[in-house]
């Protein structure tokens, strides 16, 4: 089989990983109570957001570095709320507000090196996040995070891995670096969140967890804050809403900081959900476990989903079958126990629908047909599980245009596997 040699073009771009001076200044003056409600009520709200304080050992190790002005790496991965959705300026999102507030709270030296990486991506679930973790978090910073915030609670409804992708991110982070501290963040939405699905994994690894949903619902019900003063729509907070999230994270960290130190936790040898997705690796071309022949999917789609902060493609390396392209199939030989594919759904507002359906065959049998021109698309990325086995084996995967739409386009945005 012919091999496709591709150089991995990361979109972590220098702009995604920032070395910044986080000292609070006049133009970024910290306001600990954005809605000017009674401070005691606001403190109660922050405390109510702590669903589980978890084990504080790794947080305390992070704070030792932070307080002593050592180099620190702070990252967040999630959906549009983590990306800063809602405010006009993404730097008004909770993650950047949190970074500024953390510096102010602990009086960090302005000369100390703080690397922050906001790896949020709109409309994406943890099934795609587990593919992105290594490339978009670790590789972007060229370092494992000292503190990682994981947020997918309003994006994970009906996600295809049934929370195994979420757990995979947790395990990747905890196993790669024994000092990486993880906070599980469940933001809120008018339609609810998936805290109930997140809590078992957080508890299994003894992680601290913030649940904004119940706290905000109680706040709205008591008319302390109005729904329309918090949200810009059904899910994205206004700047003040993002600030409440940031304050809740700060409050959690201070609570753990003030508590007696826990003993370190050993990461369980086996995952909570089985079969284990393991440390998913993003496929960038051939490696010792993967052989690819791109066939008619040998072009690059430069119009994939955009990263908010840079207005650049989130998946600059992809496999694209252009309109009226070759009828040759995309073929892959792979040794794995799990394989996840993410494909593009074309923007539904296009004057002419140029994207069509693609058939996926696994080990010679038709597995499923996916529609890249589905109504409601906005160039978003849809993850699907193609292989999910207890043990790793050799598999073949073939992707070809459906006979109904042979001359239409289709884009494979990303592939990730574990073995």
């Amino acid at each position: 089989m012919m091999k496709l040699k591709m150089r991995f073009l990361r979109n972590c771009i220098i702009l995604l990983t920032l070395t910044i001076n986080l000292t609070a200044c006049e133009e970024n003056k910290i306001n600990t109570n954005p809605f000017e409600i009674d401070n005691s009520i606001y403190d109660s709200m922050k405390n109510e957001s702590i669903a589980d304080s978890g084990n504080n050992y790794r947080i305390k190790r992070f704070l030792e570095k932070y307080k002593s002005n050592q180099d620190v790496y702070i990252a967040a991965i999630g959906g549009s709320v983590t990306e800063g959705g809602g405010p006009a300026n993404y730097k008004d999102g909770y993650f950047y507000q949190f970074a500024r507030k953390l510096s102010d709270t602990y009086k960090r030296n302005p000369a100390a090196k703080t690397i922050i990486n906001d790896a949020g991506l709109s409309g994406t679930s943890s099934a795609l996040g587990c593919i992105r973790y290594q490339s978009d978090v670790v590789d972007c910073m060229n370092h494992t995070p000292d503190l990682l915030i994981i947020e997918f609670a309003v994006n994970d409804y009906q996600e295809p891995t049934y929370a195994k992708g979420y757990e995979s991110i947790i395990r990747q982070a905890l196993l790669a670096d024994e000092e990486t501290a993880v906070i599980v963040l469940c933001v809120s939405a008018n339609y609810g969140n998936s805290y109930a699905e997140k809590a078992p994994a957080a508890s299994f690894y003894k992680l601290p967890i913030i649940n904004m949903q119940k706290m905000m619902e109680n706040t709205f019900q008591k008319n302390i804050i109005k729904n329309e003063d918090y949200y810009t729509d059904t899910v994205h907070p206004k700047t003040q809403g993002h600030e409440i999230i940031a304050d809740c994270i700060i409050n959690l960290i201070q609570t753990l900081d003030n508590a007696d130190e826990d003993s370190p936790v050993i990461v369980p040898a086996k995952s909570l959900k089985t079969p284990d997705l393991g440390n998913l690796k993003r496929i960038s071309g051939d490696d010792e476990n993967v052989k690819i022949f791109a066939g008619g999917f040998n072009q690059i789609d430069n119009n994939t989903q955009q990263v908010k902060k840079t207005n650049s493609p989130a998946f600059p390396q992809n496999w694209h079958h252009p309109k009226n392209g070759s009828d040759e199939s995309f073929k892959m030989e792979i040794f794995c126990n799990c394989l996840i594919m993410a494909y593009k759904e074309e923007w539904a507002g296009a004057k002419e629908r140029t994207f069509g359906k693609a058939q996926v065959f696994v080990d010679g049998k038709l597995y499923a047909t996916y529609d890249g021109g589905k109504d409601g698309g906005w160039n978003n990325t849809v993850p699907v599980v193609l292989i999910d086995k207890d043990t790793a084996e050799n598999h073949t995967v073939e992707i070809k245009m459906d006979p109904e739409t042979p001359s239409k386009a289709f884009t494979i945005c990303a592939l990730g596997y574990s073995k």
Side-chain angles (χ1 to χ4, degrees):
M1 181 179 289
M2 293 178 62
K3 298 181 180 179
L4 174 69
K5 296 294 185 181
M6 301 179 69
R7 185 170 62 88
F8 184 37
L9 303 175
R10 286 207 308 266
N11 187 50
C12 26
I13 39 193
I14 312 294
L15 294 174
L16 246 180
T17 304
L18 305 173
T19 304
I20 61 174
N21 184 334
L22 292 170
T23 304
C25 53
E26 285 303 313
E27 53 268 30
N28 283 323
K29 188 175 181 180
I30 302 299
N31 179 2
T32 59
N33 195 335
F35 289 96
E36 299 183 352
I37 60 179
D38 186 273
N39 282 333
S40 63
I41 295 176
Y42 194 66
D43 289 343
S44 296
M45 290 169 55
K46 292 186 292 184
N47 290 332
E48 186 182 358
S49 74
I50 302 176
D52 193 334
S53 57
N55 181 284
N56 66 18
Y57 180 82
R58 291 196 185 211
I59 288 287
K60 283 183 176 286
R61 299 288 77 74
F62 161 71
L63 288 173
E64 283 179 0
K65 291 182 180 179
Y66 196 84
K67 292 177 183 178
S68 61
N69 295 307
Q70 297 180 48
D71 294 354
V72 293
Y73 296 79
I74 303 173
I77 186 168
S80 56
V81 177
T82 291
E83 196 178 19
N89 188 333
Y90 68 88
K91 288 189 179 180
D92 288 329
Y94 82 81
F95 180 65
Y96 289 91
Q97 292 201 55
F98 162 71
R100 295 192 292 265
K101 286 173 179 285
L102 188 67
S103 178
D104 183 73
T105 298
Y106 288 104
K107 311 301 180 187
R108 186 160 167 84
N109 189 325
K113 184 179 179 181
T114 303
I115 306 296
I116 68 169
N117 179 6
D118 169 15
L121 185 62
S122 296
T124 59
S125 67
S126 57
L128 186 57
C130 63
I131 298 176
R132 297 175 51 233
Y133 177 72
Q134 179 66 37
S135 59
D136 290 5
V137 174
V138 178
D139 292 348
C140 278
M141 297 192 297
N142 197 30
H143 201 283
T144 53
D146 294 297
L147 175 64
L148 174 67
I149 299 169
I150 306 176
E151 176 276 310
F152 284 105
V154 295
N155 287 42
D156 268 3
Y157 289 104
Q158 299 180 334
E159 66 87 12
T161 70
Y162 302 99
K164 289 194 292 185
Y166 193 84
E167 184 180 5
S168 175
I169 301 172
I170 293 172
R171 288 186 70 85
Q172 287 185 68
L174 295 179
L175 290 172
D177 188 336
E178 63 182 10
E179 292 192 345
T180 294
V182 176
I183 292 175
V184 169
L185 171 63
C186 296
V187 297
S188 62
N190 281 332
Y191 53 78
N193 70 11
S194 58
Y195 164 75
E197 289 73 33
K198 300 291 176 289
S203 298
F204 186 69
Y205 295 96
K206 295 182 169 29
L207 302 179
I209 181 168
I210 290 174
N211 181 21
M212 300 294 297
Q213 188 70 41
K214 183 178 180 181
M215 182 270 283
M216 292 310 305
E217 287 178 351
N218 289 340
T219 300
F220 298 147
Q221 187 175 22
K222 295 174 183 177
N223 205 30
I224 297 170
I225 296 172
K226 294 181 179 179
N227 184 292
E228 58 268 27
D229 292 332
Y230 180 84
Y231 290 113
T232 61
D233 49 28
T234 60
V235 60
H236 301 105
K238 294 182 176 180
T239 299
Q240 303 97 304
H242 276 278
E243 185 166 357
I244 292 177
I245 299 172
D247 286 340
C248 287
I249 302 172
I250 293 290
N251 178 64
L252 170 66
I253 288 177
Q254 288 183 299
T255 300
L256 299 178
D257 187 19
N258 293 331
D260 292 337
E261 183 173 311
D262 294 325
S263 299
V265 175
I266 297 175
V267 179
K270 294 185 177 180
S271 62
L272 176 64
K273 295 269 190 175
T274 56
D276 186 2
L277 295 188
N279 293 325
L280 251 78
K281 181 178 180 181
R282 189 164 169 177
I283 297 173
S284 58
D286 292 353
D287 64 30
E288 61 180 2
N289 302 298
V290 181
K291 297 293 181 288
I292 291 176
F293 172 69
F297 294 73
N298 60 357
Q299 301 297 306
I300 297 294
D301 186 345
N302 294 314
N303 193 32
T304 59
Q305 185 174 352
Q306 299 287 297
V307 177
K308 182 181 177 74
K309 65 179 65 59
T310 61
N311 294 318
S312 60
F315 302 97
Q317 176 210 335
N318 54 68
W319 294 269
H320 176 60
H321 179 279
K323 183 180 178 181
N324 298 319
S326 166
D327 60 0
E328 284 189 288
S329 301
F330 172 98
K331 295 179 181 179
M332 177 168 57
E333 295 177 356
I334 185 167
F335 179 76
C336 70
N337 73 297
C338 175
L339 176 66
I340 297 177
M341 176 183 79
Y343 67 93
K344 168 184 164 179
E345 282 187 346
E346 182 189 27
W347 177 50
K351 292 182 179 180
E352 178 188 357
R353 300 309 299 271
T354 58
F355 275 61
K357 299 177 182 179
Q359 296 179 329
V360 177
F361 295 80
V362 177
D363 297 330
K365 296 180 180 179
L366 178 63
Y367 178 80
T369 300
Y370 300 106
D371 189 356
K374 189 176 179 179
D375 287 341
W378 46 276
N379 289 355
N380 54 301
T381 310
V382 182
V384 290
V385 178
L386 302 184
I387 297 171
D388 188 13
K389 302 290 186 181
D390 290 325
T391 57
E393 299 175 349
N394 289 311
H395 295 280
T396 61
V397 176
E398 180 182 7
I399 302 172
K400 62 181 180 180
M401 297 308 297
D402 187 275
E404 291 184 6
T405 58
S407 59
K408 295 289 188 179
F410 193 88
T411 299
I412 305 166
C413 292
L415 293 160
Y417 77 97
S418 64
K419 63 181 181 65

